[in-house]
Amino acid sequence: MADSSNIVMNGDFSDGLEPWYPNGCQAFVVSSDSSSSDSGYAVVTNRKETWQGLEQDITPQVSPGVTYTVSACVGVSGPFHESSQVLATVRLERDDSPTEYLFIGKAIASRDEWVDVEGTFSIKNMPDRVVIYLEGPAPGKDLLIRSVTVKDSTSCDFLETEENIAASRGFPPALNIIENHDFSDGLCSWHSNSCDSFVVGSNNECNSESYAVVNNRSETWQGLEQDITDRVSPGCSYKVSASVSVWGPVVKSAQVLATLKLEHHGSETEFKLIGKTYASKDTWKTLEGTFVFSGRPDRVVFFLEGPPPGVDLLIKSVTIHCENNNQFERSRDFCPSAPEADHHIFLNSSFSDGLNHWSGRGCNLMLHESLADGRILPHSGTCFASATERTHKWSGIEQDITERVQRKLIYEASSVVRLSHSHHTVQATLYVQYLDQREEYIGISSVEANHDDWVKLKGKFLLNGSPARAVVYIEGPPPGIDVFVDHFEVKPAEKPPRSRRPYIESHVFGMNIVSNSHLTDGSVEGWFPLGDCHLSVGEGSPQILPPMARHSLRTTHEYLSGRYVLATNRSGTWMGPAQMITDKVKLFLTYQVSAWVKVGSGGGLTCPQDVNIALSVDGKWVNGGKVEVKDGDWHEVVGSFRIEKQAREVMLHVQGPSPGVDLMVAGLQIFAVDHKARLSYLRGQADMVRKRNVRLKVTGLDPDELSGATVKIRQTSNSFPLGSCISRSNIDNEDFVEFFLNNFKWAVFGNELKWAWTEPEQGSFNYRDADEMLAFCETYNIQTRGHCIFWEVESAIQPWVQQLSEHTLEAAVENRLTDLLTRYNGKFRHYDVNNEMLHGSFYRDRLGFDARAKMFRTAHELDPLATLFLNEYHIEDGFDSRSSPEKYIKLVHKLQRKGAPVGGIGIQGHITSPVGHIVRSALDKLSTLGLPIWFTELDVSSVNEHVRGDDLEVMLWEAFAHPAVEGVMLWGFWELFMSREHAHLVDADGEVNEAGKRFLEIKREWLTFVEGVIEDGEGGFEFRGCHGSYVVEVVTSEGKYVKNFVVEKGNSPVDVVIDL
């Protein structure tokens, strides 16, 4: 019997597929045999994309403002034994705005059993069309659907646990400072924070109490809050207990946080984490914690938050009571003796209990009140610990935190350290052993420590997987040096406030901020000599602006005076012309640098000289561009910079050549660049490079039926390759995996394929991590780059390789090539053969230049299908004279003359303050090689997330708009798993930051969406679209037809036949 409350028609497929439609694939119904009570199930087959599945239009059956509960019984079938995710999704189509997708829920299905996909959805404003569909398994796998139900959400199916019952009865109401703690009075006293909420009342049939549902959440911080200002006192300790659950698209569990918001007039709002728990569907969990605050804030607000966007937060009860006796019977004055809430993961962090809970890692531990006749005293407290008789660099003080640490939670470690003598790097490290015996060492932070004073060591870490053992320790100095530790704390890290877009007052793009750069009056006014050099004005420099300045300023009519600043009598490399620009530089603006430079023949000049445009920002050197000058001609130096912290003093200076060498500078230009103006140009370029005209020819239908039919074209993926760096531990974090699979089609392993990782000791191999990562990529049809076979920089090479003789090194190189490329033959699409050959020379110095070419030749013989790349950094920004585009081109030509089958050019792209014209110039020069160019390790860095997003936008569009660039790999995207600080797109807790949102916007802009009408009976419909995969939906008077097609790369118009 059909379920009358189910708004999905034919939810059990008893009537075949009517009114279901396969989306870009095929489907049929398998009927049950006569002995079974089941109606049968649908099989969705010939799937080539994860989004292809079965859908139904439910527009007439749904209403805005109503929450619907979805349940689908699903399975998978196909050639793979691995399980696959199945997703339920709602598509909201509007004629006047882009299509919207609502994620309902997902489940992990296998070939062996049926599983349920469950979740909820609601619609704020009624769209023109509402479609529910099931999707998700990897291409090639069949999706099996047994039943689908969508009902008005009125039932309550949550299970009571003993833990929840205890929580709901935890404290007498008289002691609870939360009003309406059990929602028996609806939402009275509660406020939903930028989302919606309602109360599900008690129901005798369900035998449950009331609970609040917080829904339509688009951010993790959205939840339910209550103002408790008048019911709390500073200094008193409060205990919190809340009974919570979640509902919606949750795979296993979702975190729920209790937070305290302290608002102060005239200063930033303060947030305190009270506690957290991991809640799952159908079960109530107890969230507990404590808080205490000092001072008198203007407003104190308690709130519950945390689950990912789209997941409903359910709250049954909340209690907060003061742990101080008789709190309500005495005056609410400041309580000076109240203890601070203890969230510390380390026990006895200040050694107040001696060395209890601490141990020595390859050393002995001692406790001191002072040392060196009182010259070394504790930094704080009464004593400090020392790690003595250290036998290795990794020896030091340690503490096991296995029982107190949680996965996917950010922790902050801080310590104050000192050395017995000398000065060396001291590092805090986390050692993790997982349940499968795999080991990992995570560097938390490092600092240069010395004998003279205490220094602070501070950093953060996060565990992706569940540890069998977790130990934090301090290491670093050579054996024989004692490490003193004053205190060592590890506690949950507080999340910093979100970045706001910086406000930049009264700036003009393109205006030169350098005083007297043209030397028009023949004097050096505005300039001063840095050091003991002498400045004068010379004649005979170029009278046109440097090329990159002309391109960026888009001017051809401005001329220079032909004069230059001449610096003579230079006794140091740092000496040269300088001027103060403190008041001219605006924070967070990107400035382009461009100048003519030349060196004289003084000082017995016999080798090329570096010339560097530099800034001294409160005494710290900032690179503005560098060029190598090796003849008597004028050269352009280009670069850029950005200052992100208010400085007391900013000095511009030109430096670099050897002492005694005269330095000449002409036409120095420093001006702010407008990346938005550049983007307008790049969009036009990308339209020519990445799009083509398409004429759809719809066939197979009667012309009368086709005439007037509506056409909706949706691009599902762009063919431009976009990937990211991943690590082995990343794939243990389901939040990381979800973002990665949703946004990337390529992967590169950060370290796990490098020789130092796969063979750290001679004959001791570790391919396990790479094998598991490759299996992960193959499961999800992710293409892979192999990084890297060799690394030319000596500091990156394991000690045993450095110690080999020439003959044994040559044999080891041959073995490395054979082992790696035989094991993974045909698995990696690309290989970085010998990383950073412009910056290192280990193999060249020992085996000769031909060894480099031989690496390419041998790799090609072993795996002829792989494209072999060079890979270098600072190619695109002008920051490094060793790796200019010209030197890169020269290296490629030299390798090719030696028979190296170079197949691609890798630009790493670790860039700061990018300028589009400079990047484009480098790409244009490299494109003369006729080889594909990839950005292989792209990341950008800024403390401000909006500025970081601007930089990423510049780089992605420069790549996308250049015809020689064939792919971009990001060097990660997840906080704490990036090689550079302030470079992440997703916070460690899974929240997409402003830079990440910009990345997603760019990806959406690279997709084409078109709607229209077939005007004639011949079935023709024309549009211009990006290269990639599409779905077309043709709706006629007789029905709807869905097909998928591909727009191949090319510039000329193309005809695509859609046979219905």
Side-chain angles (χ1 to χ4, degrees):
M1 179 181 294
D3 185 352
S4 60
S5 62
N6 186 8
I7 67 172
V8 167
M9 292 182 286
N10 188 26
D12 59 359
F13 303 100
S14 56
D15 291 332
L17 281 176
E18 186 65 28
W20 294 92
Y21 293 92
N23 188 356
C25 51
Q26 296 177 341
F28 59 90
V29 172
V30 176
S31 302
S32 63
D33 55 49
S34 58
S35 62
S36 172
S37 60
D38 296 329
S39 301
Y41 59 89
V43 178
V44 188
T45 188
N46 290 336
R47 300 175 59 259
K48 297 179 176 60
E49 302 285 347
T50 57
W51 51 263
Q52 293 176 342
L54 208 58
E55 66 178 39
Q56 184 174 140
D57 190 324
I58 57 173
T59 310
Q61 296 101 284
V62 295
S63 302
V66 178
T67 299
Y68 294 93
T69 302
V70 178
S71 179
C73 184
V74 298
V76 293
S77 180
F80 312 112
H81 291 278
E82 295 88 350
S83 57
S84 291
Q85 65 177 2
V86 179
L87 291 78
T89 308
V90 166
R91 186 170 75 239
L92 308 178
E93 299 179 5
R94 294 179 173 87
D95 293 337
D96 57 351
S97 60
T99 298
E100 182 182 359
Y101 297 87
L102 300 180
F103 175 57
I104 300 173
K106 67 179 179 181
I108 304 300
S110 65
R111 295 180 8 166
D112 303 322
E113 60 180 350
W114 296 98
V115 298
D116 292 326
V117 177
E118 296 179 328
T120 62
F121 73 91
S122 62
I123 304 167
K124 287 186 178 181
N125 301 308
M126 194 63 192
D128 296 293
R129 190 161 177 256
V130 182
V131 177
I132 186 170
Y133 64 97
L134 292 159
E135 58 176 334
K141 279 196 175 185
D142 293 347
L143 169 60
L144 314 181
I145 309 171
R146 196 172 192 174
S147 64
V148 182
T149 59
V150 178
K151 299 182 180 181
D152 188 338
S153 180
T154 56
S155 61
C156 41
D157 303 319
F158 293 95
L159 304 176
E160 292 284 349
T161 64
E162 293 181 6
E163 176 186 52
N164 170 59
I165 295 171
S168 62
R169 300 173 183 171
F171 306 105
L175 294 179
N176 188 5
I177 68 172
I178 289 290
E179 296 177 350
N180 186 26
H181 76 287
D182 59 359
F183 305 98
S184 56
D185 196 16
L187 287 173
C188 181
S189 300
W190 292 94
H191 173 68
S192 51
N193 191 356
S194 301
C195 52
D196 298 329
S197 59
F198 60 91
V199 171
V200 177
S202 61
N203 185 315
N204 293 332
E205 182 180 346
C206 294
N207 193 28
S208 67
E209 300 169 329
S210 302
Y211 60 90
V213 178
V214 188
N215 64 345
N216 291 333
R217 301 174 59 257
S218 58
E219 302 285 349
T220 58
W221 50 263
Q222 293 174 344
L224 209 59
E225 66 180 33
Q226 185 171 138
D227 190 323
I228 57 174
T229 309
D230 297 332
R231 284 163 271 151
V232 291
S233 299
C236 295
S237 180
Y238 294 90
K239 186 172 183 179
V240 177
S241 180
S243 181
V244 297
S245 185
V246 292
W247 185 257
V250 180
V251 179
K252 294 181 180 178
S253 62
Q255 68 174 0
V256 180
L257 289 77
T259 308
L260 194 70
K261 180 168 63 177
L262 306 175
E263 299 179 0
H264 306 270
H265 291 160
S267 60
E268 290 189 359
T269 298
E270 182 182 359
F271 295 89
K272 285 182 172 288
L273 175 66
I274 298 172
K276 67 185 294 184
T277 189
Y278 285 88
S280 57
K281 295 193 298 184
D282 300 340
T283 302
W284 294 99
K285 293 283 290 184
T286 300
L287 189 162
E288 294 183 324
T290 60
F291 70 85
V292 63
F293 64 94
S294 58
R296 292 189 179 275
D298 296 289
R299 190 163 177 256
V300 182
V301 178
F302 168 84
F303 65 100
L304 292 160
E305 58 173 335
V311 175
D312 294 349
L313 169 60
L314 279 55
I315 310 167
K316 180 181 283 191
S317 65
V318 182
T319 59
I320 300 179
H321 80 290
C322 182
E323 292 185 300
N324 303 77
N325 293 331
N326 302 318
Q327 188 258 347
F328 290 101
E329 298 177 9
R330 56 184 174 83
S331 63
R332 297 164 75 145
D333 294 331
F334 180 72
C335 310
S337 61
E340 181 77 22
D342 185 12
H343 295 298
H344 290 251
I345 305 304
F346 268 0
L347 304 176
N348 186 28
S349 60
S350 298
F351 310 108
S352 57
D353 192 20
L355 291 172
N356 192 26
H357 302 295
W358 295 97
S359 58
R361 186 183 186 89
C363 62
N364 292 325
L365 300 184
M366 297 182 66
L367 208 59
H368 311 274
E369 294 182 357
S370 67
L371 276 176
D373 297 326
R375 292 191 299 273
I376 300 179
L377 297 173
H379 180 268
S380 61
T382 59
C383 61
F384 60 90
S386 67
T388 65
E389 301 178 28
R390 298 174 59 252
T391 56
H392 299 84
K393 292 182 67 175
W394 48 260
S395 300
I397 189 170
E398 69 175 8
Q399 186 169 140
D400 192 312
I401 60 172
T402 308
E403 300 300 324
R404 300 182 297 280
V405 71
Q406 299 181 41
R407 63 186 293 259
K408 300 200 301 181
L409 181 64
I410 312 171
Y411 291 95
E412 183 177 83
S414 62
S415 181
V416 178
V417 297
R418 192 169 180 171
L419 302 181
S420 61
H421 58 279
S422 190
H423 57 88
H424 293 278
T425 300
V426 174
Q427 176 173 307
T429 303
L430 171 66
Y431 164 76
V432 186
Q433 184 182 57
Y434 294 98
L435 299 174
D436 60 1
Q437 302 303 305
R438 184 168 51 85
E439 295 181 322
E440 182 180 15
Y441 292 86
I442 301 172
I444 300 172
S445 66
S446 62
V447 68
E448 286 299 314
N450 56 65
H451 171 70
D452 300 323
D453 205 355
W454 295 97
V455 293
K456 193 165 188 177
L457 179 67
K458 188 175 183 179
K460 296 179 180 180
F461 69 88
L462 174 143
L463 282 174
N464 284 308
S466 299
R469 186 164 183 252
V471 177
V472 176
Y473 64 98
I474 288 180
E475 60 172 335
I481 297 179
D482 296 347
V483 180
F484 305 146
V485 181
D486 181 81
H487 69 271
F488 197 0
E489 297 177 342
V490 174
K491 59 183 179 181
E494 294 187 9
K495 187 166 184 175
R498 267 284 169 254
S499 297
R500 294 182 179 180
R501 176 165 287 283
Y503 173 70
I504 304 168
E505 186 178 3
S506 63
H507 66 280
V508 178
F509 293 116
M511 177 179 289
N512 190 10
I513 66 173
V514 179
S515 298
N516 194 21
S517 66
H518 292 196
L519 307 171
T520 305
D521 63 358
S523 75
V524 292
E525 183 180 355
W527 296 92
F528 62 87
L530 185 62
D532 295 332
C533 61
H534 178 263
L535 300 187
S536 61
V537 175
E539 300 274 353
S541 59
Q543 295 185 2
I544 58 172
L545 285 173
M548 287 312 305
R550 291 202 308 273
H551 294 160
S552 294
L553 297 172
R554 291 179 291 179
T555 179
T556 58
H557 61 271
E558 184 173 355
Y559 296 98
L560 304 179
S561 66
R563 299 185 179 96
Y564 58 88
V565 178
L566 171 63
T568 57
N569 299 326
R570 299 174 59 256
S571 58
T573 58
W574 51 273
M575 293 184 182
Q579 66 174 256
M580 304 306 298
I581 59 172
T582 308
D583 298 331
K584 300 176 182 179
V585 178
K586 304 292 185 181
L587 293 184
F588 292 108
L589 272 183
T590 297
Y591 289 88
Q592 180 175 331
V593 178
S594 185
W596 291 113
V597 294
K598 181 180 176 180
V599 295
S601 57
L605 181 63
T606 59
C607 60
Q609 300 290 306
D610 281 343
V611 178
N612 173 220
I613 308 292
L615 291 91
S616 174
V617 182
D618 287 340
K620 182 180 179 181
W621 175 78
V622 174
N623 190 358
K626 186 183 291 187
V627 67
E628 183 182 88
V629 181
K630 59 182 178 179
D631 49 37
D633 294 332
W634 288 96
H635 294 260
E636 181 184 21
V637 56
V638 298
S640 64
F641 68 88
R642 182 172 56 233
I643 298 175
E644 300 193 342
K645 184 179 180 181
Q646 191 64 53
R648 296 184 301 274
E649 185 177 87
V650 181
M651 179 180 67
L652 165 69
H653 60 107
V654 187
Q655 61 174 12
S658 302
V661 176
D662 295 344
L663 172 60
M664 290 161 265
V665 184
L668 175 54
Q669 308 285 311
I670 297 180
F671 52 89
V673 294
D674 184 2
H675 86 281
K676 290 184 179 179
R678 176 71 178 170
L679 289 177
S680 177
Y681 165 79
L682 291 174
R683 287 185 172 93
Q685 290 295 107
D687 185 87
M688 293 187 289
V689 174
R690 306 295 175 185
K691 288 184 177 182
R692 67 191 306 181
N693 292 328
V694 182
R695 176 179 171 82
L696 288 186
K697 177 68 174 178
V698 181
T699 63
L701 296 179
D702 185 90
D704 293 335
E705 182 183 353
L706 269 179
S707 181
T710 61
V711 177
K712 292 184 178 181
I713 297 170
R714 173 169 63 97
Q715 188 173 9
T716 55
S717 64
N718 192 300
S719 61
F720 183 76
L722 195 59
S724 174
C725 168
I726 62 175
S727 70
R728 172 57 189 85
S729 69
N730 287 152
I731 63 177
D732 292 332
N733 186 332
E734 54 270 29
D735 299 332
F736 178 99
V737 169
E738 183 174 9
F739 187 92
F740 174 76
L741 294 178
N742 286 338
N743 292 287
F744 302 101
K745 294 293 187 183
W746 283 71
V748 61
F749 305 165
N751 291 303
E752 289 81 356
L753 208 67
K754 293 172 181 173
W755 195 5
W757 190 282
T758 61
E759 194 179 3
E761 302 292 340
Q762 189 169 17
S764 177
F765 295 96
N766 171 27
Y767 286 110
R768 175 181 177 180
D769 294 329
D771 287 348
E772 292 176 356
M773 295 169 73
L774 193 59
F776 165 82
C777 292
E778 290 175 340
T779 298
Y780 293 103
N781 196 28
I782 300 294
Q783 303 296 319
T784 50
R785 298 192 77 252
H787 176 79
C788 52
I789 304 176
F790 299 103
W791 198 342
E792 190 71 78
V793 178
E794 185 166 348
S795 61
I797 297 171
Q798 58 270 51
W800 72 264
V801 175
Q802 295 186 33
Q803 296 163 8
L804 296 176
S805 66
E806 178 182 337
H807 176 72
T808 53
L809 176 61
E810 190 172 10
V813 167
E814 191 73 24
N815 290 337
R816 161 67 172 170
L817 283 161
T818 303
D819 291 344
L820 185 74
L821 276 78
T822 301
R823 183 183 189 92
Y824 296 122
N825 187 273
K827 300 291 187 180
F828 290 96
R829 294 279 300 276
H830 299 169
Y831 278 107
D832 296 329
V833 177
N834 191 4
N835 200 37
E836 298 173 3
M837 286 184 281
L838 291 176
H839 289 88
S841 58
F842 176 83
Y843 297 102
R844 185 196 67 185
D845 292 345
R846 288 157 178 79
L847 303 177
F849 185 87
D850 188 62
R852 290 177 164 182
K854 186 178 180 182
M855 291 172 179
F856 279 83
R857 295 194 301 265
T858 305
H860 180 68
E861 292 169 3
L862 292 168
D863 194 347
L865 295 179
T867 303
L868 305 181
F869 275 72
L870 287 81
N871 196 41
E872 271 297 346
Y873 62 92
H874 282 327
I875 299 294
E876 75 290 354
D877 56 17
F879 278 10
D880 192 342
S881 59
R882 294 172 296 177
S883 52
S884 65
E886 291 80 6
K887 287 189 175 182
Y888 209 12
I889 292 170
K890 184 177 179 181
L891 174 61
V892 173
H893 285 155
K894 191 172 182 180
L895 286 167
Q896 289 175 329
R897 285 195 297 270
K898 292 284 186 177
V902 178
I905 306 300
I907 302 176
Q908 291 183 9
H910 302 294
I911 193 167
T912 303
S913 61
V915 174
H917 286 88
I918 299 176
V919 175
R920 177 75 181 210
S921 174
L923 293 175
D924 287 346
K925 292 173 183 177
L926 293 176
S927 67
T928 61
L929 290 167
L931 296 170
I933 300 172
W934 279 61
F935 281 98
T936 54
E937 305 180 17
L938 177 63
D939 58 21
V940 294
S941 176
S942 172
V943 297
N944 186 281
E945 296 168 1
H946 294 272
V947 176
R948 194 185 313 161
D950 292 344
D951 286 352
L952 184 63
E953 191 169 42
V954 167
M955 294 304 297
L956 288 177
W957 276 104
E958 289 292 346
F960 192 65
H962 200 286
V965 178
E966 296 194 2
V968 173
M969 305 292 296
L970 301 187
W971 201 243
F973 55 86
W974 203 266
E975 185 183 11
L976 301 184
F977 293 91
M978 307 282 294
S979 62
R980 300 170 70 196
E981 194 175 10
H982 305 305
H984 61 282
L985 310 181
V986 183
D987 295 346
D989 60 6
E991 183 177 1
V992 179
N993 62 30
E994 295 299 329
K997 291 175 183 176
R998 186 79 60 85
F999 168 72
L1000 297 177
E1001 290 169 4
I1002 295 166
K1003 283 196 62 193
R1004 283 192 289 270
E1005 194 170 350
W1006 291 355
L1007 297 176
T1008 301
F1009 299 90
V1010 182
E1011 295 183 7
V1013 177
I1014 296 177
E1015 302 290 352
D1016 55 55
E1018 296 182 1
F1021 184 83
E1022 296 182 358
F1023 72 98
R1024 183 168 179 81
C1026 294
H1027 308 150
S1029 301
Y1030 288 79
V1031 170
V1032 59
E1033 179 184 286
V1034 180
V1035 180
T1036 72
S1037 58
E1038 301 297 325
K1040 182 182 71 171
Y1041 307 87
V1042 179
K1043 290 285 185 177
N1044 59 295
F1045 65 93
V1046 175
V1047 175
E1048 302 290 353
K1049 295 180 183 179
N1051 303 112
S1052 59
V1054 62
D1055 292 331
V1056 177
V1057 177
I1058 304 295
D1059 186 7
L1060 302 182

